[in-house]
Amino acid sequence: MQDVPTTWFLLLGAILFTIGAVGVLVRRNILVMLMCIELMMNAVNLTFVALGRELGSLTGQVVVFFTIVVAAVEVTVGLAILIELNRLYQTADVDEVAGLKG
Amino acid sequence: MIEMIQHPLFWLVAVIAVLSASGVVLSRNAIYSALSLLANFIMLAALYLMLNAQFIAIVQVVVYADAVVVLFVFVEMLLGAVGRIPVVERLTPHLIVALVVGFLIMVIVGSVVYEVPIGGARGSATQQAINQAGQVQVLGMTLFTDYLLAVELAGVLMLVGLVGALVLTHQWRRERGIRVQRANREGMPSASAGANRSSLTGNRS
């Protein structure tokens, strides 16, 4: 029995990325949009690890490690901005936050 | 034994991952979205285990499934408890545009993944070599020799993120500004324009 082919992992990553992208476009709740961005990041991480295994390189895993670090910081700052926005606008709907609209 | 059940296991995990990802997008309640996200993260950790990336799998569980989801749920509770976040929302009318864009992304990425053969130089870190030396040892050696500068910069980045989040959410700046305004108003009740301007600059400093 062989290993699971790398192409399947790549296709799964593509599907997960698409779901995340559609989620960012469809949902208007900032919290859920942040979650969908996390989904997309995870799909890319999966691609990195799968290709790293295929090519016999550890760089894929190293890049995923740094991506996880950056994603953690991104979530922290994003949620802080969300709390501040909630203080200003009393809503989590991005369509209501139109202070810069001309 | 593990080799024998690997393919059905992959399909099971993949289907659960896709379903939970759809759950993040489709569920109306944001708490359910967060819980679906948790399921998705754990399924991805299982996929990393299948790819022989044990360290990444553990980091995925510890950082994503633990810290990030807890942060999401905590913020949700924090804002939802005050009752200002509408937890239930409708799906927006430009759904069709989003679906078309998603379909295009899927077609482009999927065809590239499916058609283009995986090329490039094969490295020396094969499964056997990694398993012989130990996964975490090999990864740690790579991280702390070739990527040492990046590791240090990641530490600095986390510090900056921590300080940034604290500065963004902390209230003392606003309270001091209000105090300065009140002091100005009480000190000079008649000269309103001058007091306002000084209170504004006082706010900013």
Side-chain angles (χ1 to χ4, degrees):
Chain A
M1 200 82 180
Q2 276 191 326
D3 277 351
V4 183
T6 306
T7 312
W8 294 3
F9 284 102
L10 298 184
L11 276 179
L12 178 63
I15 294 171
L16 290 179
F17 187 89
T18 310
I19 293 174
V22 171
V24 171
L25 291 174
V26 167
R27 297 300 297 260
R28 297 291 88 182
N29 188 336
I30 304 177
L31 210 54
V32 181
M33 287 171 83
L34 270 176
M35 289 181 203
C36 291
I37 292 175
E38 295 301 313
L39 272 183
M40 291 160 76
M41 278 190 165
N42 268 297
V44 176
N45 285 352
L46 182 65
T47 311
F48 267 120
V49 174
L51 278 178
R53 183 194 68 161
E54 175 73 21
L55 294 177
S57 164
L58 274 175
T59 313
Q61 292 186 35
V62 171
V63 170
V64 169
F65 181 75
F66 289 124
T67 314
I68 290 176
V69 170
V70 172
V73 175
E74 175 243 327
V75 166
T76 314
V77 176
L79 289 178
I81 292 174
L82 170 59
I83 289 179
E84 197 65 17
L85 265 183
N86 197 57
R87 263 190 212 138
L88 281 174
Y89 288 91
Q90 276 84 42
T91 179
D93 192 337
V94 281
D95 285 340
E96 309 247 328
V97 184
L100 281 178
K101 202 171 179 181
Chain B
M1 185 65 192
I2 292 292
E3 305 275 313
M4 291 271 290
I5 60 172
Q6 200 161 29
H7 281 224
L9 202 60
F10 172 81
W11 285 112
L12 181 69
V13 170
V15 166
I16 296 178
V18 170
L19 284 181
S20 56
S22 314
V24 175
V25 179
L26 293 179
S27 60
R28 310 268 161 138
N29 189 330
I31 285 281
Y32 292 158
S33 288
L35 294 181
S36 300
L37 195 69
L38 176 63
N40 191 48
F41 286 163
I42 290 174
M43 288 307 121
L44 273 157
L47 288 172
Y48 292 150
L49 278 182
M50 277 180 216
L51 286 168
N52 205 21
Q54 290 91 356
F55 180 71
I56 296 295
I58 295 300
V59 168
Q60 168 90 8
V61 171
V62 169
V63 175
Y64 268 124
D66 202 13
V68 169
V69 173
V70 165
L71 206 57
F72 271 122
V73 174
F74 183 76
V75 167
E76 195 137 347
M77 294 294 187
L78 190 69
L79 302 183
V82 191
R84 287 181 301 198
I85 262 194
V87 179
V88 178
E89 63 168 341
R90 69 200 149 68
L91 293 177
T92 50
H94 47 267
L95 184 65
I96 300 171
V97 179
L99 286 182
V100 168
V101 171
F103 180 72
L104 283 181
I105 292 175
M106 186 66 231
V107 166
I108 294 169
V109 179
S111 62
V112 166
V113 164
Y114 204 69
E115 301 287 335
V116 180
I118 301 165
R122 309 270 151 163
S124 58
T126 55
Q127 300 286 62
Q128 288 79 19
I130 290 176
N131 284 340
Q132 208 172 10
Q135 162 80 25
V136 180
Q137 284 88 336
V138 171
L139 196 61
M141 278 302 287
T142 314
L143 270 179
F144 286 104
T145 52
D146 295 345
Y147 297 92
L148 183 61
L149 182 65
V151 172
E152 303 281 348
L153 285 178
V156 174
L157 178 71
M158 295 197 90
L159 181 66
V160 170
L162 183 68
V163 173
L166 269 176
V167 168
L168 272 175
T169 52
H170 215 283
Q171 298 249 13
W172 56 266
R173 217 174 21 159
R174 190 172 300 108
E175 279 167 11
R176 197 185 58 175
I178 291 169
R179 213 177 301 136
V180 169
Q181 264 177 344
R182 193 178 299 145
N184 279 343
R185 214 182 304 131
E186 282 167 1
M188 295 180 280
S190 56
S192 60
N196 269 344
R197 193 167 301 128
S198 70
S199 75
L200 277 179
T201 51
N203 263 352
R204 204 155 300 150
S205 65

